[in-house]
Structure formats: C-alpha cells, structure tokens
mmCIF file of all heavy atoms in Angstrom:
data_model
loop_
_atom_site.group_PDB
_atom_site.id
_atom_site.type_symbol
_atom_site.label_atom_id
_atom_site.label_comp_id
_atom_site.label_asym_id
_atom_site.label_seq_id
_atom_site.Cartn_x
_atom_site.Cartn_y
_atom_site.Cartn_z
ATOM 1 N N TRP A 1 -13.722 -2.616 -5.166
ATOM 2 C CA TRP A 1 -14.622 -2.640 -6.322
ATOM 3 C C TRP A 1 -15.200 -4.013 -6.567
ATOM 4 O O TRP A 1 -16.154 -4.154 -7.338
ATOM 5 C CB TRP A 1 -13.882 -2.158 -7.574
ATOM 6 C CG TRP A 1 -13.233 -0.821 -7.414
ATOM 7 C CD1 TRP A 1 -13.576 0.165 -6.521
ATOM 8 C CD2 TRP A 1 -12.123 -0.313 -8.148
ATOM 9 N NE1 TRP A 1 -12.753 1.254 -6.645
ATOM 10 C CE2 TRP A 1 -11.836 0.996 -7.644
ATOM 11 C CE3 TRP A 1 -11.332 -0.817 -9.168
ATOM 12 C CZ2 TRP A 1 -10.807 1.790 -8.139
ATOM 13 C CZ3 TRP A 1 -10.306 -0.029 -9.660
ATOM 14 C CH2 TRP A 1 -10.051 1.254 -9.160
ATOM 15 N N LEU A 2 -14.629 -5.040 -5.945
ATOM 16 C CA LEU A 2 -15.144 -6.399 -6.097
ATOM 17 C C LEU A 2 -16.308 -6.689 -5.159
ATOM 18 O O LEU A 2 -16.904 -7.765 -5.218
ATOM 19 C CB LEU A 2 -14.033 -7.423 -5.831
ATOM 20 C CG LEU A 2 -12.843 -7.419 -6.792
ATOM 21 C CD1 LEU A 2 -11.811 -8.457 -6.359
ATOM 22 C CD2 LEU A 2 -13.295 -7.674 -8.219
ATOM 23 N N ASN A 3 -16.614 -5.727 -4.304
ATOM 24 C CA ASN A 3 -17.716 -5.872 -3.338
ATOM 25 C C ASN A 3 -17.518 -7.081 -2.426
ATOM 26 O O ASN A 3 -18.492 -7.740 -2.034
ATOM 27 C CB ASN A 3 -19.069 -5.970 -4.059
ATOM 28 C CG ASN A 3 -19.412 -4.688 -4.791
ATOM 29 O OD1 ASN A 3 -19.217 -3.595 -4.265
ATOM 30 N ND2 ASN A 3 -19.918 -4.807 -6.006
ATOM 31 N N LEU A 4 -16.264 -7.344 -2.085
ATOM 32 C CA LEU A 4 -15.989 -8.394 -1.111
ATOM 33 C C LEU A 4 -16.183 -7.805 0.289
ATOM 34 O O LEU A 4 -15.552 -6.795 0.629
ATOM 35 C CB LEU A 4 -14.560 -8.905 -1.276
ATOM 36 C CG LEU A 4 -14.256 -9.571 -2.615
ATOM 37 C CD1 LEU A 4 -12.771 -9.897 -2.723
ATOM 38 C CD2 LEU A 4 -15.086 -10.824 -2.802
ATOM 39 N N PRO A 5 -17.046 -8.392 1.089
ATOM 40 C CA PRO A 5 -17.407 -7.763 2.364
ATOM 41 C C PRO A 5 -16.257 -7.596 3.340
ATOM 42 O O PRO A 5 -16.276 -6.696 4.182
ATOM 43 C CB PRO A 5 -18.473 -8.701 2.937
ATOM 44 C CG PRO A 5 -18.342 -9.982 2.189
ATOM 45 C CD PRO A 5 -17.818 -9.623 0.846
ATOM 46 N N GLY A 6 -15.204 -8.424 3.244
ATOM 47 C CA GLY A 6 -14.110 -8.327 4.197
ATOM 48 C C GLY A 6 -13.005 -7.371 3.812
ATOM 49 O O GLY A 6 -12.043 -7.204 4.566
ATOM 50 N N ALA A 7 -13.125 -6.723 2.641
ATOM 51 C CA ALA A 7 -12.060 -5.830 2.186
ATOM 52 C C ALA A 7 -11.892 -4.664 3.157
ATOM 53 O O ALA A 7 -12.870 -4.059 3.588
ATOM 54 C CB ALA A 7 -12.381 -5.303 0.789
ATOM 55 N N PRO A 8 -10.641 -4.332 3.534
ATOM 56 C CA PRO A 8 -10.424 -3.204 4.447
ATOM 57 C C PRO A 8 -10.973 -1.906 3.871
ATOM 58 O O PRO A 8 -10.919 -1.667 2.666
ATOM 59 C CB PRO A 8 -8.897 -3.155 4.579
ATOM 60 C CG PRO A 8 -8.424 -4.518 4.197
ATOM 61 C CD PRO A 8 -9.388 -5.009 3.154
ATOM 62 N N SER A 9 -11.493 -1.066 4.742
ATOM 63 C CA SER A 9 -12.036 0.222 4.290
ATOM 64 C C SER A 9 -10.930 1.199 3.915
ATOM 65 O O SER A 9 -11.135 2.118 3.119
ATOM 66 C CB SER A 9 -12.919 0.836 5.381
ATOM 67 O OG SER A 9 -12.196 0.979 6.590
ATOM 68 N N ASP A 10 -9.739 1.026 4.487
ATOM 69 C CA ASP A 10 -8.571 1.839 4.157
ATOM 70 C C ASP A 10 -7.402 0.929 3.814
ATOM 71 O O ASP A 10 -7.278 -0.170 4.377
ATOM 72 C CB ASP A 10 -8.153 2.715 5.346
ATOM 73 C CG ASP A 10 -8.894 4.036 5.389
ATOM 74 O OD1 ASP A 10 -9.172 4.609 4.314
ATOM 75 O OD2 ASP A 10 -9.204 4.491 6.504
ATOM 76 N N LEU A 11 -6.537 1.372 2.905
ATOM 77 C CA LEU A 11 -5.298 0.651 2.657
ATOM 78 C C LEU A 11 -4.298 1.038 3.750
ATOM 79 O O LEU A 11 -4.015 2.219 3.954
ATOM 80 C CB LEU A 11 -4.732 1.003 1.292
ATOM 81 C CG LEU A 11 -5.525 0.537 0.064
ATOM 82 C CD1 LEU A 11 -4.721 0.761 -1.206
ATOM 83 C CD2 LEU A 11 -5.900 -0.922 0.182
ATOM 84 N N LEU A 12 -3.763 0.019 4.428
ATOM 85 C CA LEU A 12 -2.851 0.223 5.551
ATOM 86 C C LEU A 12 -1.558 -0.556 5.319
ATOM 87 O O LEU A 12 -1.566 -1.636 4.725
ATOM 88 C CB LEU A 12 -3.492 -0.252 6.857
ATOM 89 C CG LEU A 12 -4.853 0.337 7.232
ATOM 90 C CD1 LEU A 12 -5.436 -0.394 8.437
ATOM 91 C CD2 LEU A 12 -4.727 1.835 7.527
ATOM 92 N N LEU A 13 -0.452 -0.008 5.806
ATOM 93 C CA LEU A 13 0.834 -0.691 5.800
ATOM 94 C C LEU A 13 1.580 -0.367 7.088
ATOM 95 O O LEU A 13 1.305 0.667 7.731
ATOM 96 C CB LEU A 13 1.689 -0.241 4.613
ATOM 97 C CG LEU A 13 1.338 -0.780 3.228
ATOM 98 C CD1 LEU A 13 2.179 -0.070 2.167
ATOM 99 C CD2 LEU A 13 1.567 -2.288 3.157
ATOM 100 N N ARG A 14 2.521 -1.227 7.444
ATOM 101 C CA ARG A 14 3.401 -0.902 8.562
ATOM 102 C C ARG A 14 4.078 0.442 8.280
ATOM 103 O O ARG A 14 4.478 0.732 7.153
ATOM 104 C CB ARG A 14 4.458 -1.973 8.739
ATOM 105 C CG ARG A 14 3.919 -3.343 9.108
ATOM 106 C CD ARG A 14 3.790 -3.534 10.592
ATOM 107 N NE ARG A 14 3.517 -4.960 10.878
ATOM 108 C CZ ARG A 14 3.745 -5.531 12.052
ATOM 109 N NH1 ARG A 14 4.205 -4.828 13.061
ATOM 110 N NH2 ARG A 14 3.476 -6.821 12.221
ATOM 111 N N GLU A 15 4.223 1.240 9.313
ATOM 112 C CA GLU A 15 4.781 2.581 9.148
ATOM 113 C C GLU A 15 6.162 2.542 8.497
ATOM 114 O O GLU A 15 6.474 3.343 7.598
ATOM 115 C CB GLU A 15 4.866 3.263 10.502
ATOM 116 C CG GLU A 15 5.342 4.700 10.448
ATOM 117 C CD GLU A 15 5.256 5.364 11.808
ATOM 118 O OE1 GLU A 15 5.694 4.740 12.797
ATOM 119 O OE2 GLU A 15 4.752 6.495 11.890
ATOM 120 N N GLU A 16 7.005 1.629 8.934
ATOM 121 C CA GLU A 16 8.348 1.511 8.376
ATOM 122 C C GLU A 16 8.311 1.163 6.898
ATOM 123 O O GLU A 16 9.067 1.734 6.093
ATOM 124 C CB GLU A 16 9.121 0.448 9.154
ATOM 125 C CG GLU A 16 10.563 0.280 8.743
ATOM 126 C CD GLU A 16 11.265 -0.798 9.560
ATOM 127 O OE1 GLU A 16 10.566 -1.611 10.218
ATOM 128 O OE2 GLU A 16 12.503 -0.825 9.538
ATOM 129 N N ALA A 17 7.448 0.230 6.514
ATOM 130 C CA ALA A 17 7.320 -0.140 5.109
ATOM 131 C C ALA A 17 6.800 1.037 4.284
ATOM 132 O O ALA A 17 7.262 1.282 3.158
ATOM 133 C CB ALA A 17 6.402 -1.347 4.959
ATOM 134 N N LEU A 18 5.841 1.769 4.832
ATOM 135 C CA LEU A 18 5.293 2.924 4.120
ATOM 136 C C LEU A 18 6.356 4.001 3.944
ATOM 137 O O LEU A 18 6.461 4.617 2.868
ATOM 138 C CB LEU A 18 4.080 3.470 4.879
ATOM 139 C CG LEU A 18 3.368 4.675 4.270
ATOM 140 C CD1 LEU A 18 2.949 4.424 2.832
ATOM 141 C CD2 LEU A 18 2.163 5.073 5.125
ATOM 142 N N ASP A 19 7.142 4.240 4.980
ATOM 143 C CA ASP A 19 8.245 5.200 4.850
ATOM 144 C C ASP A 19 9.171 4.820 3.703
ATOM 145 O O ASP A 19 9.602 5.669 2.915
ATOM 146 C CB ASP A 19 9.055 5.253 6.146
ATOM 147 C CG ASP A 19 8.335 5.966 7.286
ATOM 148 O OD1 ASP A 19 7.352 6.671 7.021
ATOM 149 O OD2 ASP A 19 8.772 5.799 8.444
ATOM 150 N N ARG A 20 9.484 3.533 3.623
ATOM 151 C CA ARG A 20 10.389 3.068 2.581
ATOM 152 C C ARG A 20 9.765 3.198 1.189
ATOM 153 O O ARG A 20 10.462 3.529 0.214
ATOM 154 C CB ARG A 20 10.805 1.626 2.857
ATOM 155 C CG ARG A 20 11.754 1.500 4.050
ATOM 156 C CD ARG A 20 12.020 0.053 4.430
ATOM 157 N NE ARG A 20 12.930 -0.032 5.561
ATOM 158 C CZ ARG A 20 14.260 -0.051 5.475
ATOM 159 N NH1 ARG A 20 14.832 -0.027 4.281
ATOM 160 N NH2 ARG A 20 15.015 -0.120 6.552
ATOM 161 N N LEU A 21 8.463 2.960 1.078
ATOM 162 C CA LEU A 21 7.792 3.151 -0.211
ATOM 163 C C LEU A 21 7.845 4.615 -0.640
ATOM 164 O O LEU A 21 8.046 4.921 -1.822
ATOM 165 C CB LEU A 21 6.339 2.694 -0.130
ATOM 166 C CG LEU A 21 6.036 1.212 -0.270
ATOM 167 C CD1 LEU A 21 4.533 1.000 -0.348
ATOM 168 C CD2 LEU A 21 6.712 0.609 -1.500
ATOM 169 N N CYS A 22 7.665 5.508 0.314
ATOM 170 C CA CYS A 22 7.725 6.935 -0.014
ATOM 171 C C CYS A 22 9.117 7.329 -0.484
ATOM 172 O O CYS A 22 9.269 8.112 -1.433
ATOM 173 C CB CYS A 22 7.310 7.767 1.199
ATOM 174 S SG CYS A 22 5.566 7.616 1.648
ATOM 175 N N ARG A 23 10.134 6.766 0.136
ATOM 176 C CA ARG A 23 11.502 7.049 -0.310
ATOM 177 C C ARG A 23 11.746 6.450 -1.693
ATOM 178 O O ARG A 23 12.441 7.047 -2.536
ATOM 179 C CB ARG A 23 12.513 6.508 0.700
ATOM 180 C CG ARG A 23 12.503 7.243 2.021
ATOM 181 C CD ARG A 23 13.812 7.045 2.779
ATOM 182 N NE ARG A 23 14.059 5.670 3.132
ATOM 183 C CZ ARG A 23 13.696 5.106 4.290
ATOM 184 N NH1 ARG A 23 13.033 5.827 5.198
ATOM 185 N NH2 ARG A 23 13.984 3.854 4.555
ATOM 186 N N ALA A 24 11.187 5.252 -1.930
ATOM 187 C CA ALA A 24 11.316 4.638 -3.254
ATOM 188 C C ALA A 24 10.689 5.522 -4.321
ATOM 189 O O ALA A 24 11.249 5.687 -5.423
ATOM 190 C CB ALA A 24 10.673 3.256 -3.258
ATOM 191 N N GLU A 25 9.536 6.102 -4.026
ATOM 192 C CA GLU A 25 8.883 6.974 -5.004
ATOM 193 C C GLU A 25 9.769 8.174 -5.330
ATOM 194 O O GLU A 25 9.834 8.612 -6.486
ATOM 195 C CB GLU A 25 7.527 7.438 -4.490
ATOM 196 C CG GLU A 25 6.776 8.284 -5.517
ATOM 197 C CD GLU A 25 5.383 8.669 -5.075
ATOM 198 O OE1 GLU A 25 5.273 9.330 -4.019
ATOM 199 O OE2 GLU A 25 4.416 8.328 -5.770
ATOM 200 N N ARG A 26 10.439 8.703 -4.337
ATOM 201 C CA ARG A 26 11.306 9.860 -4.579
ATOM 202 C C ARG A 26 12.520 9.511 -5.435
ATOM 203 O O ARG A 26 13.162 10.404 -5.995
ATOM 204 C CB ARG A 26 11.742 10.475 -3.241
ATOM 205 C CG ARG A 26 10.594 11.122 -2.474
ATOM 206 C CD ARG A 26 11.091 12.020 -1.372
ATOM 207 N NE ARG A 26 11.694 11.282 -0.260
ATOM 208 C CZ ARG A 26 11.016 10.841 0.798
ATOM 209 N NH1 ARG A 26 9.704 11.028 0.874
ATOM 210 N NH2 ARG A 26 11.650 10.209 1.775
ATOM 211 N N ARG A 27 12.842 8.233 -5.553
ATOM 212 C CA ARG A 27 13.943 7.796 -6.410
ATOM 213 C C ARG A 27 13.551 7.743 -7.887
ATOM 214 O O ARG A 27 14.413 7.627 -8.753
ATOM 215 C CB ARG A 27 14.424 6.402 -5.978
ATOM 216 C CG ARG A 27 15.126 6.348 -4.630
ATOM 217 C CD ARG A 27 15.470 4.912 -4.263
ATOM 218 N NE ARG A 27 16.185 4.791 -3.009
ATOM 219 C CZ ARG A 27 17.504 4.848 -2.881
ATOM 220 N NH1 ARG A 27 18.259 5.009 -3.966
ATOM 221 N NH2 ARG A 27 18.080 4.747 -1.700
ATOM 222 N N LEU A 28 12.258 7.781 -8.181
ATOM 223 C CA LEU A 28 11.791 7.630 -9.564
ATOM 224 C C LEU A 28 12.103 8.869 -10.404
ATOM 225 O O LEU A 28 12.151 9.991 -9.881
ATOM 226 C CB LEU A 28 10.289 7.382 -9.578
ATOM 227 C CG LEU A 28 9.816 6.036 -9.035
ATOM 228 C CD1 LEU A 28 8.304 6.050 -8.841
ATOM 229 C CD2 LEU A 28 10.226 4.898 -9.976
ATOM 230 N N PRO A 29 12.276 8.695 -11.708
ATOM 231 C CA PRO A 29 12.446 9.852 -12.591
ATOM 232 C C PRO A 29 11.189 10.717 -12.589
ATOM 233 O O PRO A 29 10.088 10.259 -12.253
ATOM 234 C CB PRO A 29 12.660 9.207 -13.964
ATOM 235 C CG PRO A 29 13.054 7.795 -13.694
ATOM 236 C CD PRO A 29 12.368 7.414 -12.422
ATOM 237 N N PRO A 30 11.313 11.984 -12.981
ATOM 238 C CA PRO A 30 10.147 12.875 -13.054
ATOM 239 C C PRO A 30 9.042 12.276 -13.924
ATOM 240 O O PRO A 30 9.305 11.683 -14.977
ATOM 241 C CB PRO A 30 10.719 14.146 -13.691
ATOM 242 C CG PRO A 30 12.176 14.123 -13.340
ATOM 243 C CD PRO A 30 12.572 12.675 -13.351
ATOM 244 N N GLY A 31 7.811 12.445 -13.474
ATOM 245 C CA GLY A 31 6.647 11.937 -14.205
ATOM 246 C C GLY A 31 6.140 10.613 -13.697
ATOM 247 O O GLY A 31 4.993 10.245 -13.951
ATOM 248 N N PHE A 32 6.994 9.863 -12.983
ATOM 249 C CA PHE A 32 6.605 8.562 -12.454
ATOM 250 C C PHE A 32 6.179 8.664 -10.992
ATOM 251 O O PHE A 32 6.624 9.551 -10.253
ATOM 252 C CB PHE A 32 7.757 7.561 -12.556
ATOM 253 C CG PHE A 32 8.046 7.086 -13.943
ATOM 254 C CD1 PHE A 32 9.081 7.648 -14.680
ATOM 255 C CD2 PHE A 32 7.283 6.081 -14.518
ATOM 256 C CE1 PHE A 32 9.353 7.208 -15.962
ATOM 257 C CE2 PHE A 32 7.539 5.638 -15.803
ATOM 258 C CZ PHE A 32 8.583 6.204 -16.528
ATOM 259 N N GLY A 33 5.324 7.739 -10.581
ATOM 260 C CA GLY A 33 4.912 7.637 -9.185
ATOM 261 C C GLY A 33 4.655 6.187 -8.841
ATOM 262 O O GLY A 33 4.695 5.298 -9.694
ATOM 263 N N ILE A 34 4.400 5.948 -7.561
ATOM 264 C CA ILE A 34 4.011 4.630 -7.076
ATOM 265 C C ILE A 34 2.541 4.661 -6.699
ATOM 266 O O ILE A 34 2.075 5.598 -6.040
ATOM 267 C CB ILE A 34 4.880 4.204 -5.881
ATOM 268 C CG1 ILE A 34 6.279 3.814 -6.361
ATOM 269 C CG2 ILE A 34 4.250 3.044 -5.113
ATOM 270 C CD1 ILE A 34 7.249 3.440 -5.267
ATOM 271 N N VAL A 35 1.807 3.647 -7.121
ATOM 272 C CA VAL A 35 0.394 3.498 -6.800
ATOM 273 C C VAL A 35 0.221 2.205 -6.015
ATOM 274 O O VAL A 35 0.619 1.135 -6.488
ATOM 275 C CB VAL A 35 -0.469 3.446 -8.078
ATOM 276 C CG1 VAL A 35 -1.948 3.252 -7.717
ATOM 277 C CG2 VAL A 35 -0.286 4.711 -8.905
ATOM 278 N N VAL A 36 -0.349 2.297 -4.822
ATOM 279 C CA VAL A 36 -0.538 1.124 -3.971
ATOM 280 C C VAL A 36 -1.952 0.574 -4.176
ATOM 281 O O VAL A 36 -2.937 1.313 -4.084
ATOM 282 C CB VAL A 36 -0.301 1.471 -2.492
ATOM 283 C CG1 VAL A 36 -0.497 0.230 -1.618
ATOM 284 C CG2 VAL A 36 1.103 2.029 -2.297
ATOM 285 N N ILE A 37 -2.022 -0.708 -4.454
ATOM 286 C CA ILE A 37 -3.292 -1.371 -4.761
ATOM 287 C C ILE A 37 -3.841 -2.111 -3.552
ATOM 288 O O ILE A 37 -5.056 -2.161 -3.328
ATOM 289 C CB ILE A 37 -3.106 -2.346 -5.940
ATOM 290 C CG1 ILE A 37 -2.615 -1.579 -7.182
ATOM 291 C CG2 ILE A 37 -4.389 -3.102 -6.256
ATOM 292 C CD1 ILE A 37 -2.109 -2.481 -8.284
ATOM 293 N N ASP A 38 -2.950 -2.671 -2.749
ATOM 294 C CA ASP A 38 -3.382 -3.425 -1.573
ATOM 295 C C ASP A 38 -2.260 -3.456 -0.555
ATOM 296 O O ASP A 38 -1.080 -3.374 -0.914
ATOM 297 C CB ASP A 38 -3.774 -4.857 -1.971
ATOM 298 C CG ASP A 38 -4.455 -5.613 -0.839
ATOM 299 O OD1 ASP A 38 -5.246 -4.990 -0.104
ATOM 300 O OD2 ASP A 38 -4.200 -6.817 -0.688
ATOM 301 N N GLY A 39 -2.645 -3.545 0.722
ATOM 302 C CA GLY A 39 -1.673 -3.611 1.797
ATOM 303 C C GLY A 39 -2.082 -4.660 2.816
ATOM 304 O O GLY A 39 -2.241 -5.834 2.479
ATOM 305 N N TRP A 40 -2.265 -4.205 4.062
ATOM 306 C CA TRP A 40 -2.644 -5.137 5.127
ATOM 307 C C TRP A 40 -3.999 -5.778 4.848
ATOM 308 O O TRP A 40 -4.926 -5.129 4.351
ATOM 309 C CB TRP A 40 -2.709 -4.409 6.465
ATOM 310 C CG TRP A 40 -3.272 -5.267 7.564
ATOM 311 C CD1 TRP A 40 -2.621 -6.218 8.278
ATOM 312 C CD2 TRP A 40 -4.629 -5.267 8.030
ATOM 313 N NE1 TRP A 40 -3.467 -6.824 9.180
ATOM 314 C CE2 TRP A 40 -4.724 -6.261 9.046
ATOM 315 C CE3 TRP A 40 -5.770 -4.546 7.697
ATOM 316 C CZ2 TRP A 40 -5.908 -6.521 9.724
ATOM 317 C CZ3 TRP A 40 -6.947 -4.814 8.365
ATOM 318 C CH2 TRP A 40 -7.005 -5.793 9.369
ATOM 319 N N ARG A 41 -4.097 -7.072 5.153
ATOM 320 C CA ARG A 41 -5.365 -7.810 5.106
ATOM 321 C C ARG A 41 -5.552 -8.534 6.434
ATOM 322 O O ARG A 41 -4.576 -9.024 7.016
ATOM 323 C CB ARG A 41 -5.356 -8.875 4.007
ATOM 324 C CG ARG A 41 -5.129 -8.393 2.611
ATOM 325 C CD ARG A 41 -4.938 -9.573 1.654
ATOM 326 N NE ARG A 41 -4.514 -9.132 0.337
ATOM 327 C CZ ARG A 41 -3.965 -9.925 -0.570
ATOM 328 N NH1 ARG A 41 -3.767 -11.218 -0.287
ATOM 329 N NH2 ARG A 41 -3.594 -9.463 -1.748
ATOM 330 N N SER A 42 -6.768 -8.629 6.880
ATOM 331 C CA SER A 42 -7.052 -9.531 7.992
ATOM 332 C C SER A 42 -6.949 -10.961 7.489
ATOM 333 O O SER A 42 -7.052 -11.231 6.285
ATOM 334 C CB SER A 42 -8.461 -9.275 8.536
ATOM 335 O OG SER A 42 -9.438 -9.659 7.578
ATOM 336 N N ARG A 43 -6.760 -11.899 8.400
ATOM 337 C CA ARG A 43 -6.723 -13.305 7.988
ATOM 338 C C ARG A 43 -8.074 -13.712 7.387
ATOM 339 O O ARG A 43 -8.131 -14.498 6.436
ATOM 340 C CB ARG A 43 -6.365 -14.206 9.167
ATOM 341 C CG ARG A 43 -6.090 -15.654 8.755
ATOM 342 C CD ARG A 43 -5.698 -16.498 9.952
ATOM 343 N NE ARG A 43 -4.369 -16.209 10.433
ATOM 344 C CZ ARG A 43 -3.280 -16.876 10.066
ATOM 345 N NH1 ARG A 43 -3.373 -17.884 9.205
ATOM 346 N NH2 ARG A 43 -2.097 -16.563 10.557
ATOM 347 N N ALA A 44 -9.160 -13.161 7.934
ATOM 348 C CA ALA A 44 -10.485 -13.483 7.397
ATOM 349 C C ALA A 44 -10.610 -13.025 5.947
ATOM 350 O O ALA A 44 -11.169 -13.731 5.102
ATOM 351 C CB ALA A 44 -11.572 -12.846 8.255
ATOM 352 N N PHE A 45 -10.067 -11.832 5.637
ATOM 353 C CA PHE A 45 -10.139 -11.360 4.258
ATOM 354 C C PHE A 45 -9.209 -12.159 3.355
ATOM 355 O O PHE A 45 -9.531 -12.407 2.187
ATOM 356 C CB PHE A 45 -9.808 -9.868 4.162
ATOM 357 C CG PHE A 45 -9.914 -9.334 2.756
ATOM 358 C CD1 PHE A 45 -11.090 -9.466 2.030
ATOM 359 C CD2 PHE A 45 -8.830 -8.729 2.146
ATOM 360 C CE1 PHE A 45 -11.193 -8.989 0.729
ATOM 361 C CE2 PHE A 45 -8.920 -8.244 0.855
ATOM 362 C CZ PHE A 45 -10.102 -8.377 0.141
#
C-alpha cells in the first residue's frame, strides 16, 4: 500500500517457519488468529 516499487508481490516465508506459524495459530484460543504483515524481502527492498 506504500507503493514502494521493490515490495514483493507475494508474502513469502521459509517453509519450516511457515509450518511453525501455522502450528502457533492452532495454539490460540477460539476467535483469535495470526495475521502476517511481512516476510521475505530482497536486499534491494
């Protein structure tokens, strides 16, 4: 939304880290979730 030209078109994470985030979300009480705002960046970005 900042219109920065180098921003990744998709939010990406290492598969292992993403697996762990998904397990973390399942630990939350009902009604709660995890929202990911940013992940992998190129060095240029």
Side-chain angles (χ1 to χ4, degrees):
W1 306 336
L2 296 178
N3 295 317
L4 297 174
S9 56
D10 273 324
L11 292 189
L12 305 171
L13 284 172
R14 296 271 191 159
E15 184 174 47
E16 184 180 16
L18 181 54
D19 287 344
R20 289 173 180 273
L21 279 188
C22 292
R23 292 201 297 268
E25 183 176 59
R26 292 195 290 270
R27 291 176 178 272
L28 291 168
F32 287 99
I34 286 177
V35 179
V36 180
I37 301 167
D38 190 38
W40 172 80
R41 301 172 189 163
S42 68
R43 189 178 287 266
F45 182 56

